[in-house]
Amino acid sequence: MDAVLYLRDKAITVIETTGKQGFFEQNIEWDDTAALDEVLKRLAGASEVALVIDFIDETLHFEWVPKLLPWEKPGLQKRLTDKAKGEGGLYVHFSWLPLTRKTAQGLTQQLTMVASILQSPMLETFFKQLHAAHLPLTHVYSFAFLIETLFFQRLARRLRLSRKQTKQPFMLVFRETEHQFRQIFFQHGHLRIARQVDLDPELEEDAINHALIEETRRAVKYVYNQKLLDLNSEVGFVYVNVAHHDESDIVQLYQENVVQRNWDASKTFMVGGELGELLKIPTRQTQASTAILALSRFIAQAKPKTFYQNQYVQAVKGYWRGRKAAWALGLILAIGGLVLGLQGAIDAWHLNAQIKEMAHQETRLQEQKQTLQSRLDLPYDARDIQTTVEFAKAVVGHRMQGSFERLWQSLGQVLNRHRHIALQRLRWDQALPVNPDTLELTIEGWVYPFAQSFSPPTEWVNAFTEDLGKRPEVKTVTLTQPPLAASPEQALNLNQSALQTQAALPFQMRVVFVLTPEEGT
């Protein structure tokens, strides 16, 4: 808050913020229009300005009305507010107090309060000047209700009052100046009566204290007369002094002159304190300055909710709300753009890190693959192993173990009849899938003796082939490589020196055996 204007019956006090915890105070008489115009022009460039109205003609009207449902309340509120404005209220404040009662007929009622500041030529002229200066007026307070807010938010806990005690009936006496006091009666934690007490300036301090207690005794009696409390009920007492240290004296006088013998001590509390010490603010040269300084600091720090409103205040607040909303929207957009940019940068960095990690993993896997390949030097071909496994599965599945024994026996019998044939190697076919009913072998062997004549070896190999083909287990026999120089073309290409030292000739044939299950298996 850049400035606070206190409107009183005799003058206007202007409190301007000059810096951190600094305030500039200026008093202006109502009829000093030149000084007031100068101040309003200076404050036109402020961000926020508050008014605190402290007039004797501020009225409070409390009324019990039937308890209504939430959607029924606006109609009654408008009717009571319009009634107060029709009776001359310039500012009107309406409140639904959280206090209920039941009538003798069983009807539930709720207490309402209408506070109003009456119109006057002085106020009308002042607000015309506000309009002309375009003063950014955003908050309007009632002095009495501002003290109520200050008390419950700051002073009560520093006076060590419990929540239960603040709900009990008590009288708050607030000393504003040497001879000026404010008496406020609270009930159920809400202001019910507020009055200003101006004592004779000629009185000395001791006489002021006794006069103040006499005024307080009358205020308590007025509470009984208004039937706010039952006669002789307990009323607590809180005294807040300004730039004096007579709290104990005032509390003692209240104990001696107001407290009655039949009051319950547990329901009667009496405390006092010095305003500057309670709020931890420096004491000014005058008591009035200390009180205004305390309230100004409270408004600047806490910014309590505005009490009174009119069209001008609502228009200014709407403008500032729109401006703050625009600032907030711009800030949100800027923050959103910053967040998106930052998120994009983080995502790009994260993606780049993932790419690098994947590349590193790929390199590592390639190195592991090469290492494994260099270590795994197997002496067997993988296809041979697979063929062997597939063939073994097929044989086991068809129960053909006996066929192999007969096959080898048959092959051995044929070999015994051909003494010129010697086997060197037997190989089965590696084709997949394996046929479980046949076995295809490649037989590599030698025919001997070779005495530089090809005719006998050829006849011996042909005889072996023919004899093998007659076996019932043999399906086909094919001579894939006859003995060397079995044809004239081959003979022409012989190396005579090599043949002279060779004692046997190689041959190769392909035999397809039929595998049949053994009988009885």
Side-chain angles (χ1 to χ4, degrees), residues 6-13 27-32 54-56 122 180 196 198 201:
Y6 291 85
L7 306 186
R8 300 181 181 272
D9 293 313
K10 296 180 180 180
I12 302 173
T13 301
N27 291 308
I28 303 174
E29 300 293 332
W30 279 103
D31 55 359
D32 191 352
D54 184 17
F55 290 151
I56 297 177
M122 178 179 62
Q180 192 174 54
Q196 184 172 313
D198 293 317

Side-chain angles (χ1 to χ4, degrees), residues 200-218:
D200 187 352
E202 301 298 328
L203 294 176
E204 298 294 334
E205 184 65 25
D206 187 62
I208 290 175
N209 292 346
H210 284 83
L212 174 62
I213 291 300
E214 179 61 23
E215 291 292 337
T216 304
R217 188 184 65 80
R218 292 176 183 174

Side-chain angles (χ1 to χ4, degrees), residues 204-327:
E204 298 294 334
E205 184 65 25
D206 187 62
I208 290 175
N209 292 346
H210 284 83
L212 174 62
I213 291 300
E214 179 61 23
E215 291 292 337
T216 304
R217 188 184 65 80
R218 292 176 183 174
V220 172
K221 189 175 181 180
Y222 179 78
V223 170
Y224 295 146
N225 293 336
Q226 293 297 312
K227 298 184 179 181
L228 297 178
L229 293 176
D230 294 334
L231 186 62
N232 297 328
S233 296
E234 296 84 354
V235 178
F237 181 70
V238 178
Y239 178 66
V240 178
N241 199 4
V242 177
H244 282 265
H245 290 281
D246 58 351
E247 302 87 27
S248 59
D249 297 336
I250 297 297
V251 171
Q252 182 65 30
L253 288 174
Y254 184 85
Q255 172 74 33
E256 296 173 355
N257 295 275
V258 181
V259 175
Q260 301 182 25
R261 294 181 179 178
N262 62 340
W263 282 11
D264 187 351
S266 63
K267 297 181 181 180
T268 306
F269 60 89
M270 293 168 287
V271 295
E274 199 274 321
L275 183 63
E277 294 178 355
L278 292 173
L279 298 179
K280 299 179 180 180
I281 59 174
T283 301
R284 302 292 292 269
Q285 293 180 353
T286 63
Q287 295 89 341
S289 296
T290 300
I292 291 177
L293 173 63
L295 290 174
S296 300
R297 285 178 179 271
F298 176 66
I299 292 173
Q301 293 172 1
K303 288 190 178 180
K305 185 179 179 181
T306 184
F307 189 80
Y308 288 117
Q309 293 196 35
N310 63 5
Q311 291 183 352
Y312 179 69
V313 175
Q314 292 173 350
V316 173
K317 288 180 71 66
Y319 167 74
W320 283 105
R321 278 196 297 266
R323 186 172 177 179
K324 288 180 180 179
W327 288 344

Side-chain angles (χ1 to χ4, degrees), residues 458-518:
T458 301
E459 292 177 359
W460 296 333
V461 171
N462 290 337
F464 177 71
T465 302
E466 183 179 354
D467 192 5
L468 189 60
K470 294 178 180 180
R471 301 299 298 180
E473 298 86 0
V474 177
K475 183 177 181 180
T476 60
V477 179
T478 305
L479 187 61
T480 57
Q481 181 182 339
L484 186 61
S487 64
E489 291 81 6
Q490 290 177 327
L492 294 176
N493 297 322
L494 291 176
N495 187 333
Q496 295 298 325
S497 61
L499 287 175
Q500 291 177 359
T501 60
Q502 189 164 343
L505 295 178
F507 71 93
Q508 181 177 307
M509 62 178 59
R510 185 178 296 276
V511 183
V512 179
F513 292 92
V514 178
L515 300 176
T516 58
E518 185 179 2

